Amino acid sequence: MSLLTGTPTEVVLSLINQQNTLPVPITEENLYFGAARFAPDGVTTILPVTAQLGGQYEGYANLTYKRLNLSQIYDVAPIISDVGGPTLYSMLDIVNRNLGMNFTQNDVTDTNVAYVGAGEQVNITVAALPGSVGYAGSFFFRFIRLRVTFSVAVKNTELNALVYPGHPDVTDSKVNVSMMMWDHDFSADLTSLKLNGNTWASQTAVANLMKDFGINDWPAPAVNGVTDYATSNYPGSNTNFQRVTVQKLVNGSTYAGDALFHYNLS
């Protein structure tokens, strides 16, 4: 669980809205944060904010509050064992997950750890940027670099075959009719593709069209087995065309799948 409910910027915005009666909620879209700095007491933070141009507000204000002091968070240096990354910035998600923080690149300085090899360890200092909205000070954690052996991590090396979506079972050894027809333009064949409800007006006309694909035994559709769609409404269709008429669950001697008759209206 994170020590903060969001990033420091999100938390400060939430506090502004909670503690003030505002006509319009303050967001990152209508408020610009300057660089935070310490007041003369060395404890209180002064955060200048300015209304974004063209927004609901104008002018500026100085917010005062106390930032989290990283030097006082951990009594004992935390330990993180992970594959990690080459820099602190590249592994902030790992640090946040392990330490319950919400660091961003706007909060802390970066550190190079690319030189740390497998099984090696190093102390990484996390130092707040001077202008960080939410943090001040610094701390360090011990980082132990893990290297995972690929053969250990990938235990299942027998993968399923790569198949086109909706491809018939590979044991059928049948041509996928959806793939076969996917880029064919039937715009000149709309007379043959006329529907009578959810079936072909002329089964013979459609069967003759399929002879161009070397198919001489095109089956009649199942009951309510043919439907016309805008291609944007039919997943897997070719959206280079406007519409597609689909004869579903075709199963022939050497082919199977959903037949896609793509066409344009003009």
Side-chain angles (χ1 to χ4, degrees):
M1 181 176 179
S2 297
L3 296 175
L4 294 179
T5 56
T7 66
T9 297
E10 292 169 342
V11 173
V12 170
L13 287 171
S14 177
L15 291 174
I16 296 172
N17 288 310
Q18 289 175 20
Q19 297 178 209
N20 293 276
T21 302
L22 300 169
V24 176
I26 295 297
T27 68
E28 290 188 71
E29 281 68 47
N30 58 25
L31 193 69
Y32 172 78
F33 282 16
R37 67 181 188 276
F38 280 118
D41 63 10
V43 176
T44 303
T45 289
I46 299 174
L47 178 65
V49 294
T50 303
Q52 295 278 20
L53 290 175
Q56 300 90 346
Y57 297 98
E58 63 179 358
Y60 63 91
N62 285 327
L63 306 177
T64 59
Y65 60 98
K66 290 182 173 63
R67 285 178 279 182
L68 289 175
N69 189 337
L70 298 180
S71 305
Q72 300 173 351
I73 288 182
Y74 300 105
D75 293 332
V76 178
I79 299 175
I80 296 179
S81 298
D82 202 283
V83 174
T87 65
L88 177 60
Y89 278 179
S90 70
M91 51 190 282
L92 280 180
D93 59 332
I94 297 170
V95 174
N96 289 335
R97 185 171 63 249
N98 280 272
L99 304 186
M101 303 301 289
N102 273 303
F103 295 129
T104 71
Q105 294 184 16
N106 294 323
D107 297 312
V108 296
T109 59
D110 199 9
T111 301
N112 175 38
V113 290
Y115 62 89
V116 181
E120 297 179 352
Q121 57 182 285
V122 67
N123 291 335
I124 299 179
T125 297
V126 181
L129 289 167
S132 170
V133 170
Y135 303 108
S138 65
F139 74 99
F140 73 88
F141 66 91
R142 185 181 304 166
F143 172 58
I144 301 174
R145 173 88 71 190
L146 300 182
R147 276 290 185 270
V148 180
T149 302
F150 193 71
S151 60
V152 174
V154 182
K155 294 181 173 61
N156 188 357
T157 57
E158 295 184 8
L159 307 180
N160 293 328
L162 298 179
V163 296
Y164 185 82
H167 196 288
D169 193 302
V170 292
T171 59
D172 290 345
S173 298
K174 292 184 177 181
V175 173
N176 183 283
V177 71
S178 300
M179 181 181 290
M180 178 179 66
M181 301 172 65
W182 196 77
D183 64 347
H184 189 85
D185 186 355
F186 288 91
S187 299
D189 305 301
L190 296 185
T191 300
S192 299
L193 296 178
K194 285 183 178 179
L195 298 182
N196 181 12
N198 287 103
T199 191
W200 299 118
S202 173
Q203 169 65 22
T204 300
V206 175
N208 286 334
L209 286 180
M210 297 311 296
K211 290 180 180 180
D212 291 339
F213 293 92
I215 295 175
N216 296 308
D217 60 345
W218 189 254
V223 176
N224 295 322
V226 184
T227 308
D228 190 77
Y229 303 88
T231 54
S232 58
N233 293 331
Y234 191 80
S237 64
N238 187 339
T239 54
N240 289 320
F241 297 95
Q242 296 170 346
R243 301 197 66 82
V244 60
T245 302
V246 183
Q247 180 175 337
K248 296 183 179 179
L249 302 176
V250 172
N251 192 2
S253 57
T254 59
Y255 54 90
D258 293 341
L260 306 178
F261 296 85
H262 292 97
Y263 64 93
N264 294 314
L265 294 173
S266 59

